[in-house]
Amino acid sequence: MTAFRRSPRSVRALVPAAVAVALLAGCAQGAEGAASAADSTPRAGDSSTAAPPSPGAASPGGSVTVTPAPTGSAGAPAPGTLLVGDFGSDTVTFVDPARGATGSVKVGTAPYGLVVGGDGRAWVATAEGVAVVDTATRERLALVPYRTDTGPVTTGEYRGGGMGIALSPDGRRVYVGVNVPGGNGTLEVVDTAALRVTDAVEVGRRPFDVDVSRDGSEVYATNHDSFDVTVVAADTLRTRRVEVAPYGTEGGLGSWLKPHYTAVRPSDGKLLLPFEGERLAVVDPRTGRTTIEPMTANTHQHGATVTADGTLFTVGTGPIDPAVDRGPSLTVRTPAGAEWVYPLEGPHESVAVSRDGRTAYVTGGFTRDGYWDGLSVVDLASGDTQRLAAGSRPLGIAVL
């Protein structure tokens, strides 16, 4: 593994979590051959073992697999219920924040990102296709196969298939970033009424995250292994590449210092990409210009989300170099740039925030070794953190 040397750091102090009361009411890929081997061979300690496609799953470009209509209904989930994608067990799990897991639904091999629409349907990016789940009946309604050929269905960190996923503001289209091992990925467009892929366009390598502008006119694929964001016009699918590499690209595929997840700032539509708890890249997708703001957590960062008031939440997975980096954490950053850093126990991947803004839920799945089967529940006012068992290696998360 080649790691790109970072610039010297200044000392950054953690702000005590109690102060927040006043303001709050993945990773390096080795050579392509090594990545290919990881796709097909489970690693020691990795619960994501290889699994065959779900019965009836179609090959790329085939017809959608539709599950028969459910015979009963469990009723709509209580507000505040969490839905997590279980990368380690091919399911999504419903989680009561007070009681833990309350049931799971089989969706497809190695689910990664997920998004939930206003109609209660969840869209889950799996290795086989986009699974559609009715969150009221707790049934998989369909599995929409990808148009892109990603090779054999596998598990593990570098598996082919869907990664980031997002829903258009009008709910008519789902956008999913599809990883193609060893090459550039694609952004596929799913018609949510017809349940089929209608378009596909090439983006960068390993599209960890997909986001949509507030007006729905642009889609952003954050491509981990090509150090960039692909800006896609929603109407024409024309693309523009914006390099986002505040540490440079010298390390290539072996570098740890790549973009992972993006949050779209509500106030102006700019893209927020945290790097290493040291630098926040603020990208104007219209001009492609990037400005850098300092961050304070000093840890390798993955998942990110932003609330309606512009507060950024980002997950620190732990140190690249334990001699100089800090451990796992959750950073909460106000629009003015003030940060609160909440230490976490062990690596995490993604984050969601309760609707009242008082609690953050951080998934313990993590895309590399060191993951665990649950969530960290962070009280943002007190700083208290509790662990909650929830699914098997949960990555994606949404609040229902």
Side-chain angles (χ1 to χ4, degrees):
M1 173 93 63
T2 300
F4 182 69
R5 184 181 299 276
R6 288 188 278 182
S7 58
R9 299 175 178 77
S10 59
V11 176
R12 306 192 190 282
L14 297 181
V15 181
V19 179
V21 176
L23 291 176
L24 293 173
C27 308
Q29 178 175 325
E32 291 183 19
S36 179
D39 286 338
S40 58
T41 305
R43 294 173 303 224
D46 189 337
S47 63
S48 298
T49 54
S54 296
S59 59
S63 60
V64 64
T65 301
V66 179
T67 303
T71 56
S73 173
T81 297
L82 310 173
L83 186 69
V84 299
D86 301 318
F87 195 69
S89 62
D90 308 339
T91 58
V92 292
T93 294
F94 293 83
V95 182
D96 181 324
R99 299 187 295 123
T102 61
S104 299
V105 176
K106 203 80 170 177
V107 290
T109 302
Y112 197 96
L114 59 83
V115 63
V116 179
D119 59 0
R121 287 192 295 175
W123 303 82
V124 187
T126 80
E128 304 167 53
V130 176
V132 188
V133 175
D134 186 319
T135 60
T137 62
R138 299 194 177 191
E139 297 280 348
R140 190 186 82 171
L141 303 179
L143 181 67
V144 182
Y146 302 119
R147 179 180 295 183
T148 304
D149 184 1
T150 62
V153 174
T154 62
T155 63
E157 180 182 356
Y158 303 110
R159 65 119 175 96
M163 298 187 74
I165 191 167
L167 190 64
S168 65
D170 62 10
R172 297 173 62 182
R173 292 169 300 282
V174 163
Y175 301 99
V176 57
V178 179
N179 178 42
V180 179
N184 283 347
T186 60
L187 181 76
E188 297 204 355
V189 184
V190 178
D191 183 311
T192 59
L195 295 180
R196 64 182 180 90
V197 173
T198 58
D199 289 292
V201 63
E202 185 175 294
V203 293
R205 298 176 69 113
R206 274 217 294 169
F208 257 60
D209 196 16
V210 173
D211 297 271
V212 182
S213 63
R214 296 190 71 187
D215 64 4
S217 64
E218 291 184 332
V219 185
Y220 312 113
T222 303
N223 309 304
H224 180 270
D225 286 353
S226 49
F227 298 89
D228 57 25
V229 171
T230 304
V231 180
V232 183
D235 54 353
T236 64
L237 296 188
R238 291 180 179 174
T239 63
R240 289 182 289 114
R241 177 183 182 269
V242 178
E243 182 173 282
V244 188
Y247 295 93
T249 63
E250 180 181 328
L253 287 178
S255 173
W256 289 85
L257 308 177
K258 304 173 186 174
H260 291 84
Y261 294 83
T262 295
V264 181
R265 189 157 64 187
S267 61
D268 59 8
K270 291 185 178 180
L271 311 182
L272 307 178
L273 293 90
F275 284 80
E276 306 307 314
E278 295 178 331
R279 304 177 185 182
L280 179 68
V282 182
V283 179
D284 186 334
R286 292 170 291 279
T287 65
R289 294 178 181 174
T290 299
T291 57
I292 303 298
E293 300 177 6
M295 298 188 75
T296 62
N298 193 16
T299 186
H300 189 59
Q301 287 175 319
H302 274 210
T305 191
V306 66
T307 52
D309 66 354
T311 301
L312 175 68
F313 292 74
T314 185
V315 180
T317 69
I320 294 175
D321 182 353
V324 294
D325 299 334
R326 293 196 176 103
S329 62
L330 173 69
T331 292
V332 180
R333 181 185 179 91
T334 70
E339 290 189 348
W340 283 261
V341 177
Y342 301 82
L344 299 175
E345 181 183 349
H348 293 68
E349 185 67 24
S350 300
V351 59
V353 184
S354 63
R355 300 201 183 283
D356 62 10
R358 298 178 179 178
T359 309
Y361 306 103
V362 195
T363 60
F366 193 39
T367 56
R368 299 184 64 83
D369 292 337
Y371 60 85
W372 56 283
D373 296 337
L375 309 174
S376 285
V377 181
V378 182
D379 184 307
L380 298 172
S382 69
D384 292 340
T385 301
Q386 298 180 339
R387 279 194 164 200
L388 181 66
S392 175
R393 196 176 183 178
L395 293 186
I397 182 170
V399 179
L400 302 180

